[in-house]
Amino acid sequence: MMKVLRLGLLIVGLCLAQNGMAAILSLTTGGAKTVHTDELADTVFIANPAIADYRVLDGHRVVLFGKTVGTTTLIIYNKAGHTLLNRQIVVNQSMAKIEQQIAIHYPGLAINVTNIGTQVVLSGEVPDIQTRDAIVHLVGVLLNKSVSRKTVTLKNAGSVSSNGGSSSGSSSSDGYLLDYLQKTTYSGLIDNLKVGGVKQVNVKLSVAEVSTAYIKQLGAKWGSMVNDSFQGNGQFFNYLQSFNASNIASFISALDNDSVGQILAQPNLSVISGETASFLVGGELPIVTNYDNSYQVTYKEYGVKLSIGAKVLNDNKIRLTLSPEVSAQDSTYRSELADVPAFKTRKATTTVELGDGQSFVLGGLLSKDEQETLQKVPFIGDIPILGALFRYTETTRRNTELVIVATVNLVKPISSEDVQLPTMQPTSTLSRWFGVDLATSHATREVYASGGFKQ
């Protein structure tokens, strides 16, 4: 019984070994390979000599060469008729001319170009994304492959989208088209190239706005009081029929007011070269509208928004597209009738090219608004000296300065032990009672300065 079991296992092992010998041998048209056998070869058989053929060098070496694209089988026997070698031969189109062009344009790179039927596979390692894209483009053009492009759009609202088709690289109603970030693919071309190092870009944006307002009011207003409401300077009602002291009111104004305001937003965002990123620090305000006895709710984003697209060029220059926006509710122009809020917005969209560590002023605004108003009671207000009691003057000046500055750096990730988070050291009740400043840690500034990366 044990002998029968051992014999069965031996037969199964021989069958598996024979099946394992039936491996695939790849050839190209015009290419050749040498096959070695341990025993003396007596008979060589090829199923289809029109696809591949052979030459026997000696009893142990057989040279195979491809003739046309296709698949056939090679079997080598010894004198006893036992199978020494069983291989399936696959002959593909030669890619030697394509590899030659790659070697000319990119010497020192080991790039392999193989094909399986109509599919072409690129394999090897390249130093950066730019080289990978250039090699894929070169092979696609030489093989006359059909091309498709996926464009990237940086929308005005701060989001990023992608779609197919060609790109014009300009602004449109849907957003800003980033032609230098478009993804190009070729039909039948498989990209298996490995990128040795992927570069990352950190963008620090500063949006600074300083506004000053000067308001000066001087004079007196005379007018009628109707329903406990002052009707305005020089506005009298029913003074011929019921004229008395209670109908007339005067307001004396002497105001000199200066105000200074500053808005500073410093978002910090990192992205891999060739990709896009966006973020929002703020909120969404619900806006309710009534249409045909039904209520509809839409949301309006506000706060600090930033969308970027970056690509590192061959000379370590960084091409950067930014769309920053700083918005807040503006009660000055709020519609009380429809209960619809108004927003004050500062935003810009532009594309620049910077070096590592350089800064650039993306946009700026200097606006001045001056208004002078004179109100007076007719005739009486024109009398010299005495008329000053019946005149009212108002002067308003508003100055606004806005600057948007961007700084870019090539960065590398840091270890988790070096991560710094913003912290605060609380003070005691006695410290606050005696007016001692809070002991606050500066970790926030350090995190912002480094962007969480090594420069």
Side-chain angles (χ1 to χ4, degrees):
M1 184 66 182
M2 293 297 296
K3 292 182 178 181
V4 175
L5 181 59
R6 290 177 181 175
L7 180 60
L9 293 176
L10 180 60
I11 294 174
V12 172
L14 291 175
C15 293
L16 293 175
Q18 187 173 1
N19 292 334
M21 293 174 62
I24 296 178
L25 197 153
S26 298
L27 293 175
T28 60
T29 55
K33 286 186 178 181
T34 303
V35 177
H36 298 267
T37 60
D38 296 333
E39 300 182 22
L40 288 175
D42 181 70
T43 303
V44 179
F45 172 78
I46 288 186
N48 191 348
I51 295 177
D53 211 340
Y54 71 95
R55 291 291 184 271
V56 178
L57 298 181
D58 52 38
H60 296 277
R61 293 184 300 170
V62 177
V63 176
L64 302 173
F65 53 91
K67 299 174 70 175
T68 59
V69 177
T71 303
T72 186
T73 303
L74 166 69
I75 304 176
I76 300 177
Y77 301 94
N78 60 9
K79 287 185 178 181
H82 296 155
T83 301
L84 300 179
L85 191 68
N86 187 348
R87 291 288 188 271
Q88 184 179 11
I89 300 176
V90 178
V91 181
N92 294 309
Q93 187 67 32
S94 176
M95 295 285 110
K97 294 182 179 180
I98 304 297
E99 293 180 343
Q100 180 189 24
Q101 292 297 320
I102 296 176
I104 292 174
H105 291 84
Y106 303 96
L109 296 181
I111 306 299
N112 298 320
V113 184
T114 57
N115 69 327
I116 304 174
T118 59
Q119 304 291 321
V120 178
V121 181
L122 293 175
S123 59
E125 186 173 350
V126 294
D128 49 47
I129 297 178
Q130 290 76 20
T131 305
R132 181 200 65 184
D133 295 341
I135 292 177
V136 172
H137 174 70
L138 176 63
V139 175
V141 172
L142 292 177
L143 296 177
N144 197 23
K145 298 288 186 179
S146 59
V147 61
S148 61
R149 295 181 174 88
K150 180 183 291 185
T151 60
V152 178
T153 303
L154 209 63
K155 291 189 175 181
N156 297 329
S159 60
V160 181
S161 65
S162 60
N163 49 52
S166 60
S167 170
S168 61
S170 59
S171 60
S172 64
S173 59
D174 295 333
Y176 198 84
L177 299 179
L178 308 182
D179 54 348
Y180 64 92
L181 290 184
Q182 67 180 2
K183 310 296 182 181
T184 304
T185 57
Y186 293 88
S187 176
L189 183 59
I190 302 174
D191 178 18
N192 283 341
L193 297 173
K194 296 181 180 179
V195 180
V198 178
K199 296 182 179 180
Q200 301 183 79
V201 180
N202 177 253
V203 181
K204 290 181 288 188
L205 197 70
S206 298
V207 181
E209 177 183 345
V210 177
S211 60
T212 60
Y214 167 79
I215 301 176
K216 185 175 182 180
Q217 299 175 352
L218 182 62
K221 295 181 181 180
W222 295 82
S224 297
M225 294 291 296
V226 178
N227 296 327
D228 297 330
S229 176
F230 184 67
Q231 299 302 306
N233 194 20
Q235 302 293 326
F236 298 95
F237 293 86
N238 297 327
Y239 65 93
L240 293 178
Q241 299 178 1
S242 56
F243 176 78
N244 54 58
S246 63
N247 295 125
I248 300 177
S250 63
F251 291 88
I252 300 176
S253 298
L255 176 65
D256 193 351
N257 186 18
D258 291 335
S259 62
V260 178
Q262 180 180 5
I263 297 176
L264 178 62
Q266 292 181 307
N268 191 319
L269 191 60
S270 300
V271 64
I272 296 177
S273 175
E275 300 295 334
T276 57
S278 64
F279 82 106
L280 166 66
V281 179
E284 294 184 348
L285 183 67
I287 300 176
V288 182
T289 57
N290 187 356
Y291 177 75
D292 196 15
N293 294 327
S294 63
Y295 291 94
Q296 297 179 355
V297 181
T298 58
Y299 291 88
K300 166 66 177 178
E301 294 180 347
Y302 68 93
V304 179
K305 295 185 286 186
L306 176 62
S307 297
I308 64 173
K311 187 173 185 178
V312 181
L313 306 180
N314 291 330
D315 54 356
N316 272 347
K317 291 289 185 178
I318 303 171
R319 182 167 296 177
L320 190 69
T321 299
L322 299 102
S323 180
E325 180 177 340
V326 179
S327 59
Q329 295 188 50
D330 188 3
S331 58
T332 304
Y333 301 100
R334 181 183 179 90
S335 175
E336 299 293 344
L337 179 62
D339 195 20
V340 177
F343 292 88
K344 181 184 294 184
T345 304
R346 282 79 63 192
K347 62 181 179 180
T349 301
T350 184
T351 300
V352 296
E353 189 171 307
L354 302 174
D356 183 19
Q358 290 184 339
S359 299
F360 196 82
V361 178
L362 303 180
L365 172 65
L366 177 60
S367 64
K368 290 186 177 181
D369 183 12
E370 297 186 4
Q371 297 180 355
E372 291 188 359
T373 304
L374 173 62
Q375 298 179 3
K376 62 182 178 180
V377 178
F379 305 113
I380 302 177
D382 295 331
I383 300 175
I385 302 177
L386 180 62
L389 299 177
F390 299 91
R391 287 195 298 265
Y392 169 78
T393 60
E394 180 177 352
T395 302
T396 303
R397 295 187 180 94
R398 293 185 177 89
N399 298 333
T400 302
E401 297 181 37
L402 173 66
V403 176
I404 303 176
V405 181
T407 304
V408 296
N409 291 282
L410 294 176
V411 292
K412 296 180 180 179
I414 62 176
S415 62
S416 58
E417 292 80 7
D418 297 331
V419 175
Q420 297 175 339
L421 299 178
T423 59
M424 184 188 73
Q425 181 65 36
T427 58
S428 62
T429 304
L430 293 178
S431 299
R432 293 193 298 270
W433 177 263
F434 290 104
V436 179
D437 294 335
L438 294 175
T440 307
S441 173
H442 298 287
T444 304
R445 298 181 181 177
E446 296 174 1
V447 169
Y448 172 76
S450 62
F453 289 86
K454 292 181 180 178
Q455 300 181 5

